Amino acid sequence: MIALGRMVSGLALWAAAFVVLYSLHGLGCALGWAQVEMFGITRAKAILLGSWIVLIAAQLVLLVWLLRRRETQLDRIGIAIGWIGLAATIVTGVPILAISSCV
Amino acid sequence: MKALRLHRDLTRIWESEPGWRGVFSSVSHTDLGKRFIVAAAVFFGIGGVLAMLIRAQLATPGSAFAGPEVYGQIFTMHGSIMMFLFAIPMLEGLAIYLLPKILGSRDLAYPRLTALGWWCYLFGGTIMILALLGGVAPDAGWFLYPPLSGKEYTPGVNSDVWLLGITFVEISAMCAAIEIVVTILKFRAANMSLTKMPIMAWYLLATAGMMVFGFPPLILGSILLEVERAFGWPFFQPELGGSPLLWQHLFWLFGHPEVYIIFLPAAGALSTIIPVMSRTPLIGYGAIVTAVMALAFLSFGLWVHHMFTTGIPHLALGFFSAASVLVAIPTAVQIFAWIGTIWAGRPKFTLPMYYIVGFFVVFVLGGLTGVMLAIVPFDQQAHDTAFVTAHLHYVLVGGFVFPMLAAAYYWMPHATGRTRVMRLGIAAFWLIFIGFNLTFLHMHLTGLLGMPRRVYTYPVEAGWTWLNLISSVGSFLQAFGFGLFAIDIALQRRIGNRSERDPWEAETLEWAMPIPPPQYNFASLPTIDSREPLTRDRALGADLAGGRGLLGRAVGNRRETLAVDMVTGTPEHVAILPGPSLVPLVTAMVIGGFFLSMLLSLYWLAPVFIVGTAIMVWRWAATTGTIRDPGPIEAGEGLVLPTSFAVGGSTAYWGSVLAAAANGTLFASLIFGYLFLRVVAPNWPPPGEYGLYLLEPGLITIGAILALVFARFGRHNFVRAKVGAVATALCLALSAAVLLVSGLRHLPGPTEHAFAAVSWMLTGYAIFSAMVGALIQLFASRRVASGHASAERPHGLRIAAVWSDYGAVVAIVVVWLLALSSAAL
Amino acid sequence: MSTIDPAGPSAARVADLWWWMLGGSALLAVLVFVLLFIALFRKGVADHETPERKRVWIGWLGLAMPVGVLMVLLAFALWVGERNLPTGSAARTIDVTAYNYGWEFCDENGNCAEDVLRIPAGRAVDLDITSRDVIHSLWIPRLAGKMDAIPGQVNRLRIEASAPGTYEAVCAEYCGVGHADHRFVVEVYASDGVAEAAGAAR
């Protein structure tokens, strides 16, 4: 179970990141963060951007940890999944850059 | 000669009971897998007839064939049957039949659970079909959106049939999911490490894992909607603080992974069959495993793309749009790996290959329109139109039906031991392929020209007449094709010639046995050193039949198979499996009694059946295990292994862990529902005064922590085990009682506001979980008394602890969540 | 009723998107089918996987090509989606209430009409959509994408018609036995300063 968990950890972290971004977004819009200014952008956008960057960093840390062991094919699949998790976290968060928050 | 004697002895041990009793008591995965497949095919036929009625109605504008009331039932039942009574059970049947055979095992991890799943599926499906015949079938669309499906707009029993019937069937899906995961992880051939598994096993592992986490949201949604309909708890009524969108979230949280749950086993069949038909190994095993895992996860981040028009802000839609686009990539990896495999090999133009080519054409087109629909602005135009109808048929028929037809021809010789009779199959293929495209290809255009889904008629002026007529003609061609296919399969079953043992020159273990397969699968179990055991050793089948493998003997009536280490496949213990039993059937009937009494609004009767179910489960568990310690036993080839009675990491333990994971997903979905309503739904906060309270949370925290401690009481000193179990049960029962008191003291009536409704639901769930934990600990204490659990066989206590720990944690979480959120109102 | 015969800027952008996607999809489908055809019929010998083969089929065709195509598409789509949002000011705001089986439209002055929506040409109009009973979905195929009418919440949809005329609209979400006939019409009348307003709406 632990070996399997390690293998899919990259995507499991992506799933967590996705849930965090989506719930922060819903919460922010409900609490009116889109109307409050923060660092020259809306608070909604600032908080989402910040969380996104932290989540990407977390994916990177995980990837470095996965890269440390590459003995078996299971390890190598885990590394590939780590890369996928990183890429997926970046791509699913990209809309934060371009899209207005609560419309 | 040894082979023959072994065959006789093992058959005596493994065969089902004779006559009618055997029909009801069989636990053989071969029998039950075939039953699942045949029943799913019958439901496919019924769903197909409904499809013909739809196309008959839509063939011309202003048709008077069916009125809107009947039409509503027809399209709702077509979708529901195809999804829940055909696709899911069909893949379960395939997995149940095939898994032990490709893994080199003699049965699945829980033979009686397989049987329970079968009966639940049969009974639930029968309820649905009877409702259809009685004219009271569900009629609000197969995703049953409230408020239309609620009591006010569907006062009849129609929606209840769906909610109860489908949930009944989902019991079998949950059973199958847990069983498949544990079987793949534990019941493999010796030394079959995870990366030496046949690729199909990876696909099924991903599928079953997704089912463990994907179905609970739907089951929760069904419970909430049924409780709203039956008792008036307003989860989905905006005027009382509910939200109809909550249902959509819960439904699609299941509904999108569901699409991949259906696709992955079919893709697994393709990854199995294509290399065989191309006479070369699959390109990129590791890449495909990676792609499958990526699909399994990414598909949980797509559900809102069914809700792009519900007014959710564009940024949130953007997250889901991006994930929906991403999911196309692992699919593309597989498509090109398959084409590359064909390229590398010398393809054989057998009948399965026809359907595989059909799959490529249909599924690739469906995938491309799928990417289009992932695009928010385009989806807002195409959503709920015939374009989506066309797309989903391209994906599901292309991605599931065509591969299943290929699989049917591929594995028919295995199941029947016979070869194909005539060239009927080719004609059937062309009828299905041409008919399908003639029905659905231009239906994309029909949708773009403005035809919505689910209209029972349309005006002449709309300009959709010809398009619809062609679709109807195509659909009838298709129907003839499927009819011909059924005849072809029946002929093969009846009058086909005897097939040789491995007719396709395949490499996986299921072909290393006599066909049709004996009840025990393998007379002795193989040891594996490569992914293609049959390529390495063509005589493997004969060796195994001759007993030159592991466990190649017959001991009394003991059903033995090998359990291995999850990762490396090193032999770990000898699993001893239960034989034929009527308990699964009776249990399913008692559960059915519960669903029927709910359906008939006999709510006072329902608790009786819940108690009955608990009694049956108790009796079921009581027939496992042993009081005599067999000690380590010979497994052949010099291996001496403990039995499953004596090891901690037994299948029952891992099954309990998975059940807790599924249960936890249900619980998490319920908490999500609560938070969602609080953030999004109108008419909050609820009327009335609320504040913080600490007495009950404190008491329950103490009780639950004590339960956690007492459950570990016997770990190091078995003498205290019985006391520990009883004390755990007592603490949990008291916690449950305090939960009830807390609800009565602090919560308004559940019908007053969604807050009260969802809080009572959380309280009820916590009470239920704690009581289940208490009962199982009570059971554990009886097991200690009877000697089934002992210092040498302590794992029953570990299993009980999984359940009681779960109940304790849920009680703590619920009581604090309610107390704190009450303070924050 | 045709989405590919758009009569307003929002629907026109989506129609453009559709033609681009159709073209791209057709190219990709042809590529896949040609590769499959060659793979099936080329004179080959059965050989094993090689690193080069894996690189071409999985690395380039399976991974790199879709990533490239899809990222461009996603960026384009998000841009179109953003332009279709009701941001900036609208000339009119009309309250829409869907019910079994009809549509009620009320303007800022409280003037209401049943099953007929009147809007000026060339002006951005916001529809504030809700429902009185079950879920419906408002769809004027030639003007814009659809928006659900959900009881208990108000969803805003921006529409704009480029020219005067009559446009048909339907309910797209199944709402019960009257769903097929749950329709209305949009009557677009000419208004002053068409060009100016259209410019402002962009």
Side-chain angles (χ1 to χ4, degrees), chain B residues 68 153 245 248 279-280 284 309-310 314 336 340 343-344 346-347 372 375 380-381 383-385 448-450 454 682, chain C residues 1 3 18 25 40 42 44-47 49 57 61 77 81-82 133 135 139 141 146 148 152-153 155 172-173 179:
Chain B
Y153 302 100
L245 278 189
Q248 298 193 15
R279 295 179 259 218
T280 182
T309 66
T310 56
H314 190 214
F336 285 108
W343 188 292
R346 274 187 306 131
M372 295 179 186
I375 299 308
Q380 288 170 339
Q381 277 286 23
H383 178 69
D384 267 336
T385 68
L448 290 176
L449 293 181
R454 301 175 170 177
Chain C
M1 291 290 286
T3 58
W18 153 250
S25 298
L40 283 169
R42 84 191 187 107
V45 285
D47 55 4
E49 72 174 4
W57 287 101
L61 287 166
E82 191 69 6
D133 39 45
I135 298 174
W139 189 32
K146 52 188 75 65
D148 291 355
Q153 73 180 65
N155 292 334
E173 182 64 59
H179 172 59

Side-chain angles (χ1 to χ4, degrees), chain B residues 710-733:
Chain B
F710 282 131
R712 278 149 189 74
F713 222 52
R715 282 280 160 87
H716 301 294
N717 183 358
F718 198 82
V719 181
R720 305 185 303 190
K722 194 175 156 195
V723 180
V726 174
T728 311
L730 205 63
C731 288
L732 284 173

